[in-house]
Amino acid sequence: EVSTDDPEMAFCTLASREELNPEEDSVHHCLYQFTCNETLTETNKLLCDVCTQRHCGPKNNISEKKCVYTNAKKQMLISLAPPVLTLHLKRFQQAGFNLQKVNRHIKFPEVIDLAPFCTAKCKNVAQGNTKVLYSLYGVVEHSGTMRSGHYTAYVKMRAMNNHLSDLVLRGQSQASETEPVKGQWFHISDTHVQPVSVCKVLSSQAYLLFYERLL
């Protein structure tokens, strides 16, 4: 979404990014890199209609206009905090002419705060809130190679989250607990289901992460 009302606000976030020092090989680091401020120069310059019109004049024929490109800043931020946050990790990389699976562990938390990655005018965050918290409730893991393998899942069995239901059905957001939603984790592989500890879940090689909104 592009806004020209206040260009400087487009680069402001709900919580300060300056205090972040995300650990490498972590979801926080992935989000930080994905939402970094970029400078577009040289061949990446943007076509500026205002500059083109100012340079050529409004009466010039469009076909005769010499388009003017200008340096610009770009940043991708979250403008609408979802009730359910799904993070899809890229688990492959180019190795010559082939694709190679990335097997290293990416750290992910039980509770994650999206505020440093949300625009200051995030639509469904109450004014004054500087936290947008999510609690982990599901993980999909892939074992094997790029050509074959097996998907398994970790799922938390927990009490019904009425707060989440209100968010999904009515778009309403109210203050909630800031601790992880209590429940028992299970590892599911085809027809085999067994209880596991949260440490086992957090040590998995996550491919998909599912979080439910707390605040």
Side-chain angles (χ1 to χ4, degrees), residues 25-45:
D25 292 339
S26 69
V27 164
H28 282 102
H29 188 259
C30 293
L31 288 169
Y32 184 81
Q33 292 289 96
F34 188 74
T35 57
C36 272
N37 195 320
E38 301 176 56
T39 302
L40 305 178
T41 60
E42 299 179 354
T43 57
N44 291 321
K45 286 183 178 181

Side-chain angles (χ1 to χ4, degrees), residues 9 30 55 82 87 109 127 134 151 183 193 199 208:
M9 283 299 294
C30 293
H55 178 74
L87 299 177
Q127 189 173 3
Y134 288 82
Y151 289 97
V193 180
C199 293
L208 289 168

Side-chain angles (χ1 to χ4, degrees), residues 39 114 163 180 190 197:
T39 302
L114 276 194
H163 171 66
D190 293 335
S197 66

